[in-house]
PDB file of all heavy atoms in Angstrom:
ATOM      1  N   ALA A   1      -7.745 -11.577   7.010  1.00  0.00           N
ATOM      2  CA  ALA A   1      -8.690 -12.600   7.380  1.00  0.00           C
ATOM      3  C   ALA A   1      -8.001 -13.687   8.309  1.00  0.00           C
ATOM      4  O   ALA A   1      -8.717 -14.516   8.920  1.00  0.00           O
ATOM      5  CB  ALA A   1      -9.059 -13.366   6.029  1.00  0.00           C
ATOM      6  N   ILE A   2      -6.687 -13.603   8.686  1.00  0.00           N
ATOM      7  CA  ILE A   2      -6.023 -14.534   9.502  1.00  0.00           C
ATOM      8  C   ILE A   2      -6.083 -14.021  10.886  1.00  0.00           C
ATOM      9  O   ILE A   2      -5.466 -12.860  11.099  1.00  0.00           O
ATOM     10  CB  ILE A   2      -4.606 -14.871   9.040  1.00  0.00           C
ATOM     11  CG1 ILE A   2      -4.577 -15.391   7.678  1.00  0.00           C
ATOM     12  CG2 ILE A   2      -3.839 -15.774  10.000  1.00  0.00           C
ATOM     13  CD1 ILE A   2      -3.180 -15.519   6.983  1.00  0.00           C
ATOM     14  N   ALA A   3      -6.711 -14.643  11.801  1.00  0.00           N
ATOM     15  CA  ALA A   3      -6.933 -14.113  13.212  1.00  0.00           C
ATOM     16  C   ALA A   3      -5.598 -13.764  13.925  1.00  0.00           C
ATOM     17  O   ALA A   3      -5.412 -12.802  14.667  1.00  0.00           O
ATOM     18  CB  ALA A   3      -7.738 -15.009  13.967  1.00  0.00           C
ATOM     19  N   ASP A   4      -4.570 -14.733  13.845  1.00  0.00           N
ATOM     20  CA  ASP A   4      -3.356 -14.540  14.567  1.00  0.00           C
ATOM     21  C   ASP A   4      -2.226 -13.898  13.757  1.00  0.00           C
ATOM     22  O   ASP A   4      -1.103 -14.314  13.796  1.00  0.00           O
ATOM     23  CB  ASP A   4      -2.912 -15.916  15.167  1.00  0.00           C
ATOM     24  CG  ASP A   4      -2.608 -17.001  14.081  1.00  0.00           C
ATOM     25  OD1 ASP A   4      -3.091 -16.780  12.928  1.00  0.00           O
ATOM     26  OD2 ASP A   4      -2.044 -18.068  14.402  1.00  0.00           O
ATOM     27  N   PHE A   5      -2.690 -12.923  12.848  1.00  0.00           N
ATOM     28  CA  PHE A   5      -1.675 -12.377  12.018  1.00  0.00           C
ATOM     29  C   PHE A   5      -2.130 -10.842  11.858  1.00  0.00           C
ATOM     30  O   PHE A   5      -3.234 -10.576  11.575  1.00  0.00           O
ATOM     31  CB  PHE A   5      -1.687 -13.036  10.680  1.00  0.00           C
ATOM     32  CG  PHE A   5      -0.622 -12.698   9.690  1.00  0.00           C
ATOM     33  CD1 PHE A   5       0.625 -13.360   9.831  1.00  0.00           C
ATOM     34  CD2 PHE A   5      -0.771 -11.789   8.682  1.00  0.00           C
ATOM     35  CE1 PHE A   5       1.578 -13.103   8.961  1.00  0.00           C
ATOM     36  CE2 PHE A   5       0.278 -11.592   7.792  1.00  0.00           C
ATOM     37  CZ  PHE A   5       1.543 -12.185   7.954  1.00  0.00           C
ATOM     38  N   GLY A   6      -1.154  -9.909  12.067  1.00  0.00           N
ATOM     39  CA  GLY A   6      -1.430  -8.494  11.869  1.00  0.00           C
ATOM     40  C   GLY A   6      -1.746  -8.155  10.500  1.00  0.00           C
ATOM     41  O   GLY A   6      -1.260  -8.667   9.556  1.00  0.00           O
ATOM     42  N   ASP A   7      -2.604  -7.140  10.268  1.00  0.00           N
ATOM     43  CA  ASP A   7      -3.069  -6.701   8.964  1.00  0.00           C
ATOM     44  C   ASP A   7      -2.087  -6.349   8.027  1.00  0.00           C
ATOM     45  O   ASP A   7      -2.083  -6.590   6.827  1.00  0.00           O
ATOM     46  CB  ASP A   7      -4.095  -5.514   9.104  1.00  0.00           C
ATOM     47  CG  ASP A   7      -5.476  -5.993   9.693  1.00  0.00           C
ATOM     48  OD1 ASP A   7      -5.500  -7.152  10.061  1.00  0.00           O
ATOM     49  OD2 ASP A   7      -6.209  -5.075  10.008  1.00  0.00           O
ATOM     50  N   GLU A   8      -0.933  -5.651   8.664  1.00  0.00           N
ATOM     51  CA  GLU A   8       0.031  -5.135   7.759  1.00  0.00           C
ATOM     52  C   GLU A   8       1.335  -6.035   7.721  1.00  0.00           C
ATOM     53  O   GLU A   8       2.339  -5.675   7.125  1.00  0.00           O
ATOM     54  CB  GLU A   8       0.451  -3.687   8.244  1.00  0.00           C
ATOM     55  CG  GLU A   8      -0.729  -2.710   7.966  1.00  0.00           C
ATOM     56  CD  GLU A   8      -0.947  -2.449   6.571  1.00  0.00           C
ATOM     57  OE1 GLU A   8      -0.076  -2.300   5.748  1.00  0.00           O
ATOM     58  OE2 GLU A   8      -2.268  -2.278   6.214  1.00  0.00           O
ATOM     59  N   GLU A   9       1.220  -7.154   8.517  1.00  0.00           N
ATOM     60  CA  GLU A   9       2.506  -7.865   8.791  1.00  0.00           C
ATOM     61  C   GLU A   9       3.017  -8.659   7.610  1.00  0.00           C
ATOM     62  O   GLU A   9       4.146  -9.119   7.588  1.00  0.00           O
ATOM     63  CB  GLU A   9       2.310  -8.880   9.968  1.00  0.00           C
ATOM     64  CG  GLU A   9       2.317  -8.199  11.344  1.00  0.00           C
ATOM     65  CD  GLU A   9       2.281  -9.004  12.551  1.00  0.00           C
ATOM     66  OE1 GLU A   9       1.590 -10.097  12.454  1.00  0.00           O
ATOM     67  OE2 GLU A   9       2.731  -8.652  13.581  1.00  0.00           O
ATOM     68  N   TYR A  10       2.159  -8.770   6.592  1.00  0.00           N
ATOM     69  CA  TYR A  10       2.617  -9.498   5.443  1.00  0.00           C
ATOM     70  C   TYR A  10       3.796  -8.852   4.812  1.00  0.00           C
ATOM     71  O   TYR A  10       4.578  -9.470   4.089  1.00  0.00           O
ATOM     72  CB  TYR A  10       1.514  -9.706   4.349  1.00  0.00           C
ATOM     73  CG  TYR A  10       1.117  -8.366   3.713  1.00  0.00           C
ATOM     74  CD1 TYR A  10       1.653  -8.039   2.515  1.00  0.00           C
ATOM     75  CD2 TYR A  10       0.147  -7.577   4.233  1.00  0.00           C
ATOM     76  CE1 TYR A  10       1.375  -6.803   1.848  1.00  0.00           C
ATOM     77  CE2 TYR A  10      -0.154  -6.317   3.605  1.00  0.00           C
ATOM     78  CZ  TYR A  10       0.472  -5.918   2.484  1.00  0.00           C
ATOM     79  OH  TYR A  10       0.164  -4.797   1.895  1.00  0.00           O
ATOM     80  N   LYS A  11       3.991  -7.544   5.038  1.00  0.00           N
ATOM     81  CA  LYS A  11       5.092  -6.853   4.462  1.00  0.00           C
ATOM     82  C   LYS A  11       6.410  -7.262   5.038  1.00  0.00           C
ATOM     83  O   LYS A  11       7.440  -7.073   4.472  1.00  0.00           O
ATOM     84  CB  LYS A  11       4.939  -5.362   4.693  1.00  0.00           C
ATOM     85  CG  LYS A  11       3.722  -4.747   3.938  1.00  0.00           C
ATOM     86  CD  LYS A  11       3.441  -3.326   4.272  1.00  0.00           C
ATOM     87  CE  LYS A  11       2.359  -2.753   3.657  1.00  0.00           C
ATOM     88  NZ  LYS A  11       1.851  -1.468   4.037  1.00  0.00           N
ATOM     89  N   GLN A  12       6.430  -7.837   6.370  1.00  0.00           N
ATOM     90  CA  GLN A  12       7.602  -8.093   6.992  1.00  0.00           C
ATOM     91  C   GLN A  12       7.953  -9.598   7.091  1.00  0.00           C
ATOM     92  O   GLN A  12       8.924  -9.973   7.850  1.00  0.00           O
ATOM     93  CB  GLN A  12       7.572  -7.590   8.388  1.00  0.00           C
ATOM     94  CG  GLN A  12       8.074  -6.120   8.587  1.00  0.00           C
ATOM     95  CD  GLN A  12       6.997  -5.081   8.196  1.00  0.00           C
ATOM     96  OE1 GLN A  12       5.859  -5.093   8.686  1.00  0.00           O
ATOM     97  NE2 GLN A  12       7.276  -4.370   7.216  1.00  0.00           N
ATOM     98  N   MET A  13       7.336 -10.384   6.335  1.00  0.00           N
ATOM     99  CA  MET A  13       7.622 -11.775   6.254  1.00  0.00           C
ATOM    100  C   MET A  13       7.541 -12.452   4.890  1.00  0.00           C
ATOM    101  O   MET A  13       6.917 -11.904   3.987  1.00  0.00           O
ATOM    102  CB  MET A  13       6.610 -12.548   7.225  1.00  0.00           C
ATOM    103  CG  MET A  13       5.163 -12.401   6.982  1.00  0.00           C
ATOM    104  SD  MET A  13       4.401 -13.166   5.421  1.00  0.00           S
ATOM    105  CE  MET A  13       4.691 -14.985   5.810  1.00  0.00           C
ATOM    106  N   LEU A  14       8.285 -13.567   4.808  1.00  0.00           N
ATOM    107  CA  LEU A  14       8.180 -14.383   3.619  1.00  0.00           C
ATOM    108  C   LEU A  14       8.341 -15.834   3.973  1.00  0.00           C
ATOM    109  O   LEU A  14       9.377 -16.096   4.582  1.00  0.00           O
ATOM    110  CB  LEU A  14       9.155 -13.913   2.505  1.00  0.00           C
ATOM    111  CG  LEU A  14       9.203 -14.870   1.269  1.00  0.00           C
ATOM    112  CD1 LEU A  14       7.826 -14.660   0.467  1.00  0.00           C
ATOM    113  CD2 LEU A  14      10.372 -14.361   0.351  1.00  0.00           C
ATOM    114  N   CYS A  15       7.555 -16.695   3.646  1.00  0.00           N
ATOM    115  CA  CYS A  15       7.767 -18.239   3.898  1.00  0.00           C
ATOM    116  C   CYS A  15       8.449 -18.814   2.693  1.00  0.00           C
ATOM    117  O   CYS A  15       7.951 -18.687   1.520  1.00  0.00           O
ATOM    118  CB  CYS A  15       6.501 -18.892   4.265  1.00  0.00           C
ATOM    119  SG  CYS A  15       5.886 -18.428   5.950  1.00  0.00           S
ATOM    120  N   VAL A  16       9.568 -19.400   2.853  1.00  0.00           N
ATOM    121  CA  VAL A  16      10.332 -20.180   1.950  1.00  0.00           C
ATOM    122  C   VAL A  16      10.637 -21.485   2.657  1.00  0.00           C
ATOM    123  O   VAL A  16      11.479 -21.491   3.525  1.00  0.00           O
ATOM    124  CB  VAL A  16      11.568 -19.541   1.289  1.00  0.00           C
ATOM    125  CG1 VAL A  16      12.268 -20.439   0.370  1.00  0.00           C
ATOM    126  CG2 VAL A  16      11.114 -18.128   0.624  1.00  0.00           C
ATOM    127  N   ASP A  17      10.059 -22.586   2.185  1.00  0.00           N
ATOM    128  CA  ASP A  17      10.119 -23.800   2.971  1.00  0.00           C
ATOM    129  C   ASP A  17      10.747 -24.950   2.156  1.00  0.00           C
ATOM    130  O   ASP A  17      10.244 -25.242   1.012  1.00  0.00           O
ATOM    131  CB  ASP A  17       8.624 -24.422   3.219  1.00  0.00           C
ATOM    132  CG  ASP A  17       7.618 -23.366   3.768  1.00  0.00           C
ATOM    133  OD1 ASP A  17       8.070 -22.204   3.982  1.00  0.00           O
ATOM    134  OD2 ASP A  17       6.455 -23.743   3.890  1.00  0.00           O
ATOM    135  N   GLY A  18      11.678 -25.688   2.751  1.00  0.00           N
ATOM    136  CA  GLY A  18      12.147 -26.929   2.198  1.00  0.00           C
ATOM    137  C   GLY A  18      11.068 -27.898   2.461  1.00  0.00           C
ATOM    138  O   GLY A  18      10.506 -28.038   3.625  1.00  0.00           O
ATOM    139  N   ALA A  19      10.654 -28.788   1.427  1.00  0.00           N
ATOM    140  CA  ALA A  19       9.469 -29.601   1.667  1.00  0.00           C
ATOM    141  C   ALA A  19       9.475 -30.822   0.782  1.00  0.00           C
ATOM    142  O   ALA A  19      10.296 -30.848  -0.213  1.00  0.00           O
ATOM    143  CB  ALA A  19       8.255 -28.734   1.296  1.00  0.00           C
ATOM    144  N   ALA A  20       8.716 -31.705   1.108  1.00  0.00           N
ATOM    145  CA  ALA A  20       8.489 -32.988   0.159  1.00  0.00           C
ATOM    146  C   ALA A  20       6.862 -33.018   0.168  1.00  0.00           C
ATOM    147  O   ALA A  20       6.287 -33.506   1.081  1.00  0.00           O
ATOM    148  CB  ALA A  20       9.052 -34.228   0.678  1.00  0.00           C
ATOM    149  N   ILE A  21       6.297 -32.526  -1.018  1.00  0.00           N
ATOM    150  CA  ILE A  21       4.853 -32.401  -1.160  1.00  0.00           C
ATOM    151  C   ILE A  21       4.381 -33.018  -2.394  1.00  0.00           C
ATOM    152  O   ILE A  21       3.481 -33.916  -2.367  1.00  0.00           O
ATOM    153  CB  ILE A  21       4.539 -30.909  -1.063  1.00  0.00           C
ATOM    154  CG1 ILE A  21       4.901 -30.290   0.254  1.00  0.00           C
ATOM    155  CG2 ILE A  21       3.031 -30.655  -1.367  1.00  0.00           C
ATOM    156  CD1 ILE A  21       4.789 -28.911   0.305  1.00  0.00           C
ATOM    157  N   GLU A  22       4.973 -32.686  -3.530  1.00  0.00           N
ATOM    158  CA  GLU A  22       4.300 -33.207  -4.831  1.00  0.00           C
ATOM    159  C   GLU A  22       4.290 -34.747  -4.835  1.00  0.00           C
ATOM    160  O   GLU A  22       3.339 -35.338  -5.151  1.00  0.00           O
ATOM    161  CB  GLU A  22       5.091 -32.619  -6.031  1.00  0.00           C
ATOM    162  CG  GLU A  22       4.406 -33.062  -7.278  1.00  0.00           C
ATOM    163  CD  GLU A  22       5.334 -33.057  -8.508  1.00  0.00           C
ATOM    164  OE1 GLU A  22       6.531 -33.222  -8.444  1.00  0.00           O
ATOM    165  OE2 GLU A  22       4.745 -33.110  -9.596  1.00  0.00           O
ATOM    166  N   LYS A  23       5.493 -35.338  -4.532  1.00  0.00           N
ATOM    167  CA  LYS A  23       5.576 -36.819  -4.378  1.00  0.00           C
ATOM    168  C   LYS A  23       5.807 -37.145  -2.905  1.00  0.00           C
ATOM    169  O   LYS A  23       6.979 -37.013  -2.443  1.00  0.00           O
ATOM    170  CB  LYS A  23       6.722 -37.406  -5.273  1.00  0.00           C
ATOM    171  CG  LYS A  23       6.530 -37.032  -6.766  1.00  0.00           C
ATOM    172  CD  LYS A  23       7.736 -37.465  -7.481  1.00  0.00           C
ATOM    173  CE  LYS A  23       7.431 -37.149  -8.995  1.00  0.00           C
ATOM    174  NZ  LYS A  23       8.649 -36.675  -9.698  1.00  0.00           N
ATOM    175  N   PRO A  24       4.689 -37.549  -2.232  1.00  0.00           N
ATOM    176  CA  PRO A  24       4.961 -37.852  -0.768  1.00  0.00           C
ATOM    177  C   PRO A  24       5.918 -38.998  -0.581  1.00  0.00           C
ATOM    178  O   PRO A  24       6.277 -39.713  -1.508  1.00  0.00           O
ATOM    179  CB  PRO A  24       3.562 -38.410  -0.337  1.00  0.00           C
ATOM    180  CG  PRO A  24       2.627 -37.688  -1.332  1.00  0.00           C
ATOM    181  CD  PRO A  24       3.303 -37.564  -2.689  1.00  0.00           C
ATOM    182  N   ILE A  25       6.635 -38.910   0.616  1.00  0.00           N
ATOM    183  CA  ILE A  25       7.629 -39.860   0.906  1.00  0.00           C
ATOM    184  C   ILE A  25       6.830 -41.251   1.350  1.00  0.00           C
ATOM    185  O   ILE A  25       6.040 -41.121   2.291  1.00  0.00           O
ATOM    186  CB  ILE A  25       8.481 -39.413   2.119  1.00  0.00           C
ATOM    187  CG1 ILE A  25       8.923 -37.940   1.951  1.00  0.00           C
ATOM    188  CG2 ILE A  25       9.543 -40.423   2.556  1.00  0.00           C
ATOM    189  CD1 ILE A  25      10.039 -37.906   1.000  1.00  0.00           C
ATOM    190  N   THR A  26       7.241 -42.242   0.764  1.00  0.00           N
ATOM    191  CA  THR A  26       6.742 -43.597   1.267  1.00  0.00           C
ATOM    192  C   THR A  26       7.818 -44.378   1.975  1.00  0.00           C
ATOM    193  O   THR A  26       8.869 -44.559   1.424  1.00  0.00           O
ATOM    194  CB  THR A  26       6.277 -44.374  -0.031  1.00  0.00           C
ATOM    195  OG1 THR A  26       5.168 -43.624  -0.625  1.00  0.00           O
ATOM    196  CG2 THR A  26       5.582 -45.765   0.393  1.00  0.00           C
ATOM    197  N   LEU A  27       7.357 -44.879   3.077  1.00  0.00           N
ATOM    198  CA  LEU A  27       8.345 -45.718   3.866  1.00  0.00           C
ATOM    199  C   LEU A  27       7.717 -47.197   4.112  1.00  0.00           C
ATOM    200  O   LEU A  27       6.606 -47.276   4.461  1.00  0.00           O
ATOM    201  CB  LEU A  27       8.477 -45.117   5.405  1.00  0.00           C
ATOM    202  CG  LEU A  27       9.243 -43.766   5.472  1.00  0.00           C
ATOM    203  CD1 LEU A  27       9.187 -43.341   6.945  1.00  0.00           C
ATOM    204  CD2 LEU A  27      10.649 -43.914   4.988  1.00  0.00           C
ATOM    205  N   LYS A  28       8.649 -48.092   3.768  1.00  0.00           N
ATOM    206  CA  LYS A  28       8.322 -49.469   4.073  1.00  0.00           C
ATOM    207  C   LYS A  28       8.488 -49.693   5.637  1.00  0.00           C
ATOM    208  O   LYS A  28       9.246 -49.006   6.304  1.00  0.00           O
ATOM    209  CB  LYS A  28       9.197 -50.395   3.298  1.00  0.00           C
ATOM    210  CG  LYS A  28       9.037 -50.312   1.783  1.00  0.00           C
ATOM    211  CD  LYS A  28       9.840 -51.418   1.126  1.00  0.00           C
ATOM    212  CE  LYS A  28       9.975 -51.201  -0.338  1.00  0.00           C
ATOM    213  NZ  LYS A  28      11.024 -50.309  -0.767  1.00  0.00           N
ATOM    214  N   PRO A  29       7.971 -50.786   6.037  1.00  0.00           N
ATOM    215  CA  PRO A  29       8.170 -51.084   7.536  1.00  0.00           C
ATOM    216  C   PRO A  29       9.624 -51.188   7.968  1.00  0.00           C
ATOM    217  O   PRO A  29      10.523 -51.772   7.234  1.00  0.00           O
ATOM    218  CB  PRO A  29       7.474 -52.559   7.747  1.00  0.00           C
ATOM    219  CG  PRO A  29       6.504 -52.720   6.636  1.00  0.00           C
ATOM    220  CD  PRO A  29       7.094 -51.843   5.500  1.00  0.00           C
ATOM    221  N   GLY A  30       9.945 -50.476   8.954  1.00  0.00           N
ATOM    222  CA  GLY A  30      11.437 -50.370   9.485  1.00  0.00           C
ATOM    223  C   GLY A  30      12.260 -49.392   8.709  1.00  0.00           C
ATOM    224  O   GLY A  30      13.302 -49.076   9.103  1.00  0.00           O
ATOM    225  N   GLU A  31      11.753 -48.818   7.671  1.00  0.00           N
ATOM    226  CA  GLU A  31      12.530 -47.843   6.841  1.00  0.00           C
ATOM    227  C   GLU A  31      12.494 -46.512   7.487  1.00  0.00           C
ATOM    228  O   GLU A  31      11.560 -46.090   8.199  1.00  0.00           O
ATOM    229  CB  GLU A  31      11.889 -47.877   5.373  1.00  0.00           C
ATOM    230  CG  GLU A  31      12.912 -47.440   4.355  1.00  0.00           C
ATOM    231  CD  GLU A  31      12.328 -47.483   2.964  1.00  0.00           C
ATOM    232  OE1 GLU A  31      11.127 -47.771   2.811  1.00  0.00           O
ATOM    233  OE2 GLU A  31      13.143 -47.509   2.012  1.00  0.00           O
ATOM    234  N   GLU A  32      13.624 -45.757   7.270  1.00  0.00           N
ATOM    235  CA  GLU A  32      13.803 -44.373   7.656  1.00  0.00           C
ATOM    236  C   GLU A  32      14.106 -43.449   6.632  1.00  0.00           C
ATOM    237  O   GLU A  32      14.862 -43.730   5.739  1.00  0.00           O
ATOM    238  CB  GLU A  32      14.923 -44.438   8.809  1.00  0.00           C
ATOM    239  CG  GLU A  32      15.063 -43.041   9.467  1.00  0.00           C
ATOM    240  CD  GLU A  32      16.128 -43.173  10.606  1.00  0.00           C
ATOM    241  OE1 GLU A  32      17.326 -42.925  10.298  1.00  0.00           O
ATOM    242  OE2 GLU A  32      15.789 -43.350  11.783  1.00  0.00           O
ATOM    243  N   TRP A  33      13.460 -42.210   6.715  1.00  0.00           N
ATOM    244  CA  TRP A  33      13.641 -41.109   5.800  1.00  0.00           C
ATOM    245  C   TRP A  33      14.487 -40.127   6.542  1.00  0.00           C
ATOM    246  O   TRP A  33      14.332 -39.757   7.667  1.00  0.00           O
ATOM    247  CB  TRP A  33      12.353 -40.468   5.333  1.00  0.00           C
ATOM    248  CG  TRP A  33      12.481 -39.283   4.564  1.00  0.00           C
ATOM    249  CD1 TRP A  33      12.834 -39.078   3.304  1.00  0.00           C
ATOM    250  CD2 TRP A  33      12.336 -37.968   5.128  1.00  0.00           C
ATOM    251  NE1 TRP A  33      12.855 -37.685   3.013  1.00  0.00           N
ATOM    252  CE2 TRP A  33      12.539 -37.012   4.071  1.00  0.00           C
ATOM    253  CE3 TRP A  33      11.939 -37.520   6.466  1.00  0.00           C
ATOM    254  CZ2 TRP A  33      12.485 -35.590   4.323  1.00  0.00           C
ATOM    255  CZ3 TRP A  33      11.889 -36.126   6.668  1.00  0.00           C
ATOM    256  CH2 TRP A  33      12.198 -35.139   5.629  1.00  0.00           C
ATOM    257  N   THR A  34      15.306 -39.416   5.794  1.00  0.00           N
ATOM    258  CA  THR A  34      16.155 -38.325   6.413  1.00  0.00           C
ATOM    259  C   THR A  34      15.914 -37.169   5.500  1.00  0.00           C
ATOM    260  O   THR A  34      16.044 -37.206   4.241  1.00  0.00           O
ATOM    261  CB  THR A  34      17.655 -38.697   6.509  1.00  0.00           C
ATOM    262  OG1 THR A  34      17.874 -39.907   7.289  1.00  0.00           O
ATOM    263  CG2 THR A  34      18.408 -37.613   7.069  1.00  0.00           C
ATOM    264  N   GLY A  35      15.724 -36.000   6.093  1.00  0.00           N
ATOM    265  CA  GLY A  35      15.704 -34.711   5.426  1.00  0.00           C
ATOM    266  C   GLY A  35      16.472 -33.724   6.235  1.00  0.00           C
ATOM    267  O   GLY A  35      16.491 -33.648   7.391  1.00  0.00           O
TER     268      GLY A  35
END
C-alpha cells in the first residue's frame, strides 16, 4: 500500500530509531536540547 516502497522490500529492511516520543522534549526560551 506504500507507493514509494517495493512490494517485497519489507524483507530487506528494519527501522530501529533513537527517539524522544512518549514524553516530548520541552524547551524554555533560550534553552537547548542535545541528542
Side-chain angles (χ1 to χ4, degrees):
I2 300 173
D4 58 346
F5 193 83
D7 290 358
E8 298 291 316
E9 286 183 331
Y10 72 92
K11 295 173 183 170
Q12 271 77 59
M13 58 68 68
L14 176 64
C15 285
V16 177
D17 315 355
I21 296 167
E22 188 203 17
K23 296 175 180 145
I25 309 290
T26 299
L27 289 181
K28 298 188 187 86
E31 203 171 15
E32 185 174 85
W33 168 83
T34 301

